[in-house]
mmCIF file of all heavy atoms in Angstrom:
data_model
loop_
_atom_site.group_PDB
_atom_site.id
_atom_site.type_symbol
_atom_site.label_atom_id
_atom_site.label_comp_id
_atom_site.label_asym_id
_atom_site.label_seq_id
_atom_site.Cartn_x
_atom_site.Cartn_y
_atom_site.Cartn_z
ATOM 1 N N HIS T 143 -6.093 -3.643 -0.767
ATOM 2 C CA HIS T 143 -4.701 -3.207 -0.953
ATOM 3 C C HIS T 143 -4.103 -2.647 0.343
ATOM 4 O O HIS T 143 -2.930 -2.879 0.655
ATOM 5 C CB HIS T 143 -4.682 -2.137 -2.047
ATOM 6 C CG HIS T 143 -3.339 -1.589 -2.350
ATOM 7 N ND1 HIS T 143 -2.435 -2.226 -3.177
ATOM 8 C CD2 HIS T 143 -2.722 -0.459 -1.923
ATOM 9 C CE1 HIS T 143 -1.328 -1.504 -3.249
ATOM 10 N NE2 HIS T 143 -1.470 -0.430 -2.493
ATOM 11 N N HIS T 147 -0.633 -3.624 2.643
ATOM 12 C CA HIS T 147 0.394 -2.779 3.275
ATOM 13 C C HIS T 147 0.397 -2.987 4.799
ATOM 14 O O HIS T 147 1.456 -3.086 5.412
ATOM 15 C CB HIS T 147 0.127 -1.303 2.990
ATOM 16 C CG HIS T 147 0.566 -0.847 1.627
ATOM 17 N ND1 HIS T 147 1.853 -0.991 1.164
ATOM 18 C CD2 HIS T 147 -0.115 -0.225 0.621
ATOM 19 C CE1 HIS T 147 1.955 -0.478 -0.055
ATOM 20 N NE2 HIS T 147 0.767 -0.019 -0.421
ATOM 21 N N SER T 167 1.519 6.182 1.721
ATOM 22 C CA SER T 167 1.712 5.776 0.329
ATOM 23 C C SER T 167 1.296 6.900 -0.601
ATOM 24 O O SER T 167 1.108 8.041 -0.172
ATOM 25 C CB SER T 167 0.908 4.506 0.056
ATOM 26 O OG SER T 167 -0.469 4.801 0.058
ATOM 27 N N ASP T 336 4.527 -0.874 -3.716
ATOM 28 C CA ASP T 336 3.556 -1.900 -4.098
ATOM 29 C C ASP T 336 4.234 -3.171 -4.615
ATOM 30 O O ASP T 336 5.184 -3.102 -5.399
ATOM 31 C CB ASP T 336 2.616 -1.339 -5.184
ATOM 32 C CG ASP T 336 1.623 -0.358 -4.584
ATOM 33 O OD1 ASP T 336 1.576 -0.244 -3.343
ATOM 34 O OD2 ASP T 336 0.903 0.291 -5.365
ATOM 35 N N MET T 340 2.945 -8.848 -0.695
ATOM 36 C CA MET T 340 2.097 -8.406 0.431
ATOM 37 C C MET T 340 0.628 -8.777 0.189
ATOM 38 O O MET T 340 -0.117 -9.013 1.150
ATOM 39 C CB MET T 340 2.249 -6.897 0.679
ATOM 40 C CG MET T 340 1.648 -6.019 -0.400
ATOM 41 S SD MET T 340 1.894 -4.259 -0.018
ATOM 42 C CE MET T 340 0.793 -3.526 -1.247
HETATM 43 ZN ZN1 ZN O 402 0.219 0.775 -2.198
#
Side-chain angles (χ1 to χ4, degrees):
H143 180 81
H147 281 304
S167 70
D336 286 352
M340 70 180 192

